[in-house]
Structure formats: structure tokens, C-alpha cells
Amino acid sequence: MTFEQFIFYVLGALAIVSGLMVITVKNPVKAALWLVLAFIATAGVWIMAQAEFLGLVLILVYVGAVMVLFLFVVMMLDINLAQLKEGFTRYLPLGAMASVGILAMMYMVLGPDHFGLEVTGAPVQQSANFSNTKAIGVPLYTTHAYAFVLAAVLLLVGIVAAIALTLRRRPPREVLYQNIDQQVKTEKADRLTMVKMESVVEKELPEKEEESK
Amino acid sequence: MNFVIPAFAPAIPEMVLLAMASFILVADTFWSKKYQFATYYATQLTMIVVAYFIMTSFATAQVITFDGSFVRDSFADILKLFILLVSFGIFLFSKEYLLQQKFYSGEYFVLGLFGVLGMFVMVSAYNFITLYLGLEIMSLSIYAMIALRRDSSEAIESGMKYFVLGALATGILLYGFSMIYGATGSITFPEIAQIIDSGKADPVVLSFGVVFVVIGLAFKLGAVPFHMWAPDVYHGSPTAVTLYLGTAPKIAAFAIIYRLLAEGMPGLVHDWQTLLIILSVLSMVVGAIVAIVQENLKRMLAYSGIGHAGFLLLGVLAANPDGYAASMFYIIVYAITGVAGFGMIIALARTGNEFDKIADFKGLNGRNPWLAFMMLIVMFSMAGIPPFIGFFAKVVVIEEVVKAGFVWIAIIAVVTAVISAFYYLRVVKAMYFDKAEETAPIAPVSSQLNWAVSLVSVALLVLGLMPSSLIELSYQSIGLN
């Protein structure tokens, strides 16, 4: 076993174990943290497969942004664990049977017979100055420009949907809004009033005995 | 790397649609306070303008652009025109319904427009990525539209159900795509077809992929055994959204089935044909039998939709151009009939009474004979009784399946059609022979609705009297490719 293979197996085992933990741990916050670990292990596998850009983006976007946001949501929600666990044992045999079946099929199809090195050939080794970013970026803006625009439309629809479903317009007096125009235009005279006061002369206080604490 | 700027002209309808939808999205925030119906009229105008652009540049030959990710042929153009026609009807009915149920908002129309854009992309998709993106744009709009009525827990529940199951179905579909990409190394449909025909691809991986693709498609179409979402979602959604999700998206779903199976994997016909036979027979049987016990008309129409999905698949499983054309004709007819059926429920709905139970239709003849007659046409057409158009739709698909050599499937189809006639006629019986609980005359809230519902229903009769032009249109558009 080469060192590369060793790293691959470590990362692969890590990804599988953390993936299993995501669905078996009871606490949703812990599950989300295991998912973070699964992402990091997968990113490692991608980097080993010479997809450095994708690996880094996975960590930046998913671990850095998506999962943190997700953790916030999970912590904010009051999730009833007992209710979630309800029916787990009842459906376990059926679920286990289905997943074993699919696993067996996947092994038969995705195993070495059809996707082994003899079938696909060894991956091409790129030189050190090969740019992953360019290899993704150039097709994205040329051959897949149509799909790229459509993905943007999809995100737009997502925004519209999210706002339409969550925004509640309240009566105007209930919520106070900032008026930026007025705030910028404000002048010293609007905020500051000079008050004339008589000067106060400090009187000497008679000395008192300090009370014991 | 030399890159040639692709031809943008074939995609003009999509571009106009996107531009108009984005414009309306922004403009809605400004004009909705002053002019309540501005968004509605702008949406309908968009439908007409886009239809005009398709008509003026109607494709006579296949045009492929954007590096093989977009195709424009007469098949696509005809389906797009019918999507526009059906959506026009949907928006017309929706406006009144939304006003009545007091959740009229510009977002409904904007999301509806984006949904239509998604359907357009699906119809014209020529590789996996655009097909997936179109499907997602359409589905996401529909999920949001269902849940738009936030004060109704039923709507939220069905939106949630549809969202979770839809996401699962998309995942399965994508998994199938990845298998086929793994075996062929290509994502463009004609290339995939070519590689499969050349026998270079691994057959085991391919059939594994096809299974997942077909399951994903069956989910979207609502074919048995992946139909469980349909009755709940149809029932729980506001009727205007049921009208939307039960009609136009079915046309787009048929288009992607055709693009994927007929154009992308003709070499794997033995794999997907067997699967489609199972789906089709089960859908027809379950759709016919379970619908009998439904008391709610929306639920009944959901099961009827499942049965129709089975009939639709009959033409596809014949696996020849004539069969696809028969299915295309069937889906167009089904979409128009669906608009008439759900439109009728909307026309009779009142604030506080959705008019979606079969019991509500009792004695309708005494309360409004004209509408009762229109409903009779719709039900007869759905049941496939001549001379209404639904009859010819069933005839052509059954004819194609017999020609393809599956006589036993044709027999099952005819038997289920007879069984399903029972529950359609039950509605007719309720209207004409049952005593009404309420005898006050009933009429749609606006004359516009009355006209619209009459027009669609009469169209079913008129088309039924001269079905040949529509049938010819379908056969020609598939034959040209």
C-alpha cells in the first residue's frame, strides 16, 4: 500500500463513519457537527483526486457557510427528540431490508467489475501547475452558459419563494423603520440643544462615620 | 480554447419569458398598491407575447444550440404553445379564486410565470443539466405556490409533503443520470443514444441507471407505485394551485419522458419498456379502483390523474414515433380537460365553501342547468365517452399499444376505462338525479368565470367533433424529428 492509498482509506473510512453518525446520533446539533466532519473528509478525497478547487470550495461553502447557518437553525428550533424517534424501531426492519438490498445492488454495479481500474484506466496525472479553477471556470461561462443562467434563475425563484413564504407585512405603526435619507441629512441643530444652566457650587459634606460592611 | 458564441435566436421565447417575469417581479412591488390587477394583466400579456414569438419563429427543422444543451423543434414548439394556452386558462381562473379566498398576491403570478419558464426549459432540454435545472425551477415554484396560503394548515402540509417527496424524486433521478453519465461519459442526449447504440457502454451500469431515471420520472408524473403524494397534495392545495400543478406540468413531464427515453436511450428500450408496462398497468388499475371511494372531487380527480398517467404511458411504451405522438395528443387533451374540471370547482367555489365535495354537486341541475351541462361534458370527456375529445385520446393510445403487440395491456386499459366511467358518472348522477340540500340558484361570482368555464368545456365537445387536426398536429411534430 502506498502512502497515497493509506491516506485515501483513512479519509474514506472517516467519511463513512461520520456519515453513519449523522443519521444515528440523537442530538441534531451533534448530527450537524458529524456532517461537517463528513464534508471535510470528502473534501480531502476530492483534493486527492486532483480536484483541489472543488475540495476547497466544499469546505468554504458547505462547512463555512451552509452548515454554520444550519446549526443556527437547529439550535433555534425546539425539536422534540422523543417524537422524532417515534416509529424508528417499527420501520427499522423494512428500512434495513431496503437499504441492504440497495447496498448489494450498488456493490454489484459500482464495484470493481464495472468501475475498476481495468475498465476505466488509471486517472490522468496532471502536472503541478495545472489550473483546476480554469478547467471549471472556462466551460462554466462558455459551453454551459445556458445552464449557468438557468441556475441563476433557480436561485432567484428560491429567493422569491423564501420571501413570499416568510415575509409578513405588519401594520406600519407596529414596527419602526429607519429612514436613511433623514438620518443622513440630519444636522447638528436637530440633535443637539444647548441648555443654559446655573453653575453649581459644590458644598462640603459633613463628615460621617462609615458604616461597617 | 476556441469558443464560438452560440446562436441565441432559437431561445427567444425563453428569453422573453425570463425578461418579462423578472420585470413583473420588480414592478409588482411598485404597482400592486395602485393597480391591483396590473400583475395579472401583465402575466396574461406575457403569455400572449411569448406565444407570438413562438409562432413567428416556428421551428420546421431541429435546431440545436448552446453546445448541445438546448433543442428547438416542432415537438417543442407545439408543446410550448399548449403550455401557454393551458397556463393562460390557469391564470384566468386563479385570479378570481385568489380574490375570493382573500390571498390574491402578485407572487402567485410571478411564481407561476417562473414555473412556465421551467416547463419551457424542460421541453427544450437536450442534456441532463438543463433538464434538471428546468425541472427544479418548475418544482420550486410549485412548492412555494402551494404553501403561499400560510393560514391554511392543509396547504402547508401538502406543500411540505410535495417538497420532501419531490426532493427525494429529484435525488433518485439525478442518481440515475450520474450512472448513465458514468457508463457513457456524455450528458447530451444524441451523444448518449449514439454511444449506447455503438455498444461501448457497460450494459449493467446503464440498466441500473435507467431504473433510477424511470423511478424519478414516475414520481414526477404520479404513476403507481410512486403516486402516494398526488391525492394529498391535490386535496390540500388551494384549488387554483391544484389546477396549476395538475395540468401544465404534466405536459412538461411528458416532454422530458420523451426526451430522455425516446431520444436519449432508444437503445435501452427493453429495459425501460418493461418498467413502463408495470407502471402503466398499475396506474390504470389503482387510478380506476381507488377513485371510486373518494368523496372529495379534488381527490377523485387526483386518482383520475393517476389513471390518466397510466394511459399516457401506454403510448410511450409502444416505443415508436406513432406511439409517442399518441401520448402527446393524450397529454394535451388531458391538460385541457383538467383545466375544465378544476375550473368548474373554482367557478362554483364561494368564500368558506370550496365546492370540492361530490355532495356539493347534488342537484346542480336544478340550481344552474347550464353549468351542470358543462360539468357533464367535462366528466364524459374524462371518462372517454364519444363524441367528446377524451374518447379519441384514449382510442389513439390503445390503438398504438395494440399495434405494438401488447393486446393484453390494451384489454386492461379498456376494462379500467369502463371501471373509471363509474365514478365520473357518479358525479353526473349527483348533479341530475340527487336531491339538492340547498336549492338556491348558484352562479359563478363573475361573468368572466362563467364564460371561461363554458368556453373550455364547449372546446372539449368541439374538439371531439373534429379531433383530426389536433391528432395530425401531434403525429406531424413527432414525425418531423
Side-chain angles (χ1 to χ4, degrees), chain A:
Chain A
M1 201 195 310
T2 61
F3 181 66
E4 213 181 334
Q5 275 175 324
F6 171 72
I7 302 257
F8 171 78
Y9 282 118
V10 169
L11 287 173
L14 197 63
I16 291 171
V17 169
S18 46
L20 279 175
M21 292 304 279
V22 173
I23 53 169
T24 46
V25 287
K26 282 178 190 166
N27 191 330
V29 177
K30 283 182 186 160
L33 289 173
W34 277 109
L35 193 58
V36 169
L37 187 62
F39 279 139
I40 291 174
T42 319
V45 174
W46 283 3
I47 288 173
M48 288 192 60
Q50 295 179 317
E52 294 91 357
F53 180 74
L54 283 181
L56 292 176
V57 165
L58 183 73
I59 292 183
L60 282 177
V61 175
Y62 275 86
V63 178
V66 176
M67 286 316 294
V68 171
L69 212 62
F70 189 69
L71 269 177
F72 273 129
V73 175
V74 169
M75 286 174 175
M76 299 270 186
L77 294 176
D78 183 24
I79 298 169
N80 188 347
L81 290 177
Q83 216 173 11
L84 272 182
K85 297 278 281 181
E86 226 174 37
F88 179 77
T89 41
R90 190 150 60 96
Y91 296 117
L92 184 65
L94 202 66
M97 258 161 56
S99 38
V100 165
I102 289 180
L103 190 71
M105 273 201 300
M106 278 169 73
Y107 179 76
M108 282 196 296
V109 175
L110 303 179
D113 290 353
H114 302 286
F115 284 102
L117 276 183
E118 303 83 46
V119 185
T120 58
V124 186
Q125 292 283 341
Q126 306 288 2
S127 63
N129 59 1
F130 177 77
S131 171
N132 250 296
T133 323
K134 204 176 162 189
I136 293 171
V138 170
L140 194 62
Y141 290 103
T142 53
T143 45
H144 295 297
Y146 180 58
F148 186 70
V149 173
L150 289 178
V153 175
L154 182 59
L155 291 178
L156 178 66
V157 175
I159 296 171
V160 175
I163 294 175
L165 292 184
T166 51
L167 179 72
R168 284 185 190 276
R169 289 201 181 80
R170 296 193 192 179
R173 288 281 158 195
E174 199 179 317
V175 192
L176 299 176
Y177 293 101
Q178 281 184 307
N179 189 336
I180 312 261
D181 287 359
Q182 279 190 352
Q183 284 185 335
V184 171
K185 274 190 241 152
T186 187
E187 282 175 1
K188 192 175 153 193
D190 300 334
R191 298 252 166 109
L192 208 65
T193 38
M194 301 291 277
V195 184
K196 270 236 156 165
M197 285 178 75
E198 294 278 313
S199 55
V200 184
V201 184
E202 221 171 292
K203 274 187 214 166
E204 264 184 47
L205 289 167
E207 272 181 41
K208 263 186 190 175
E209 278 177 43
E210 275 191 24
E211 283 169 41
S212 59
K213 283 175 189 174

Side-chain angles (χ1 to χ4, degrees), chain B residues 140-191:
Chain B
L140 200 58
S141 310
I142 296 177
Y143 303 145
M145 280 164 87
I146 294 174
L148 215 49
R149 194 182 191 176
R150 286 177 306 196
D151 50 354
S152 149
S153 61
E154 269 187 357
I156 302 281
E157 184 194 325
S158 61
M160 201 63 208
K161 265 182 195 161
Y162 195 34
F163 177 64
V164 172
L165 288 175
L168 181 71
T170 315
I172 291 173
L173 192 66
L174 277 181
Y175 193 67
F177 287 172
S178 72
M179 285 300 130
I180 289 163
Y181 172 64
T184 59
S186 172
I187 53 168
T188 322
F189 296 153
E191 264 177 50

